[in-house]
Amino acid sequence: MQQVTTKAVTCPHCGENNTISLPDEETALAVRKSVAAYGEYTTVTCSRGHTYWVYFC
């Protein structure tokens, strides 16, 4: 059985914490207010309606 790894990330707009799933335990994250042209990422929207992108490095 594969174990899901999660990590808390903070909204860069309001500071609210959200939890996301990671591809693996050793993945580094970069939180950005805007989307980049390349890279593996996930889009997060906090409860206040702010959208931001978390890149897997």
Side-chain angles (χ1 to χ4, degrees), residues 4-51:
V4 177
T5 303
T6 61
K7 184 162 185 167
V9 293
T10 303
C11 175
H13 302 280
C14 66
E16 179 181 293
N17 286 327
N18 290 286
T19 303
I20 63 165
S21 298
L22 300 176
D24 61 58
E25 291 181 17
E26 299 174 6
T27 303
L29 302 177
V31 178
R32 302 285 185 249
K33 289 183 179 181
S34 59
V35 67
Y38 60 91
E40 185 179 347
Y41 64 91
T42 187
T43 304
V44 181
T45 302
C46 74
S47 66
R48 295 183 182 178
H50 302 124
T51 299

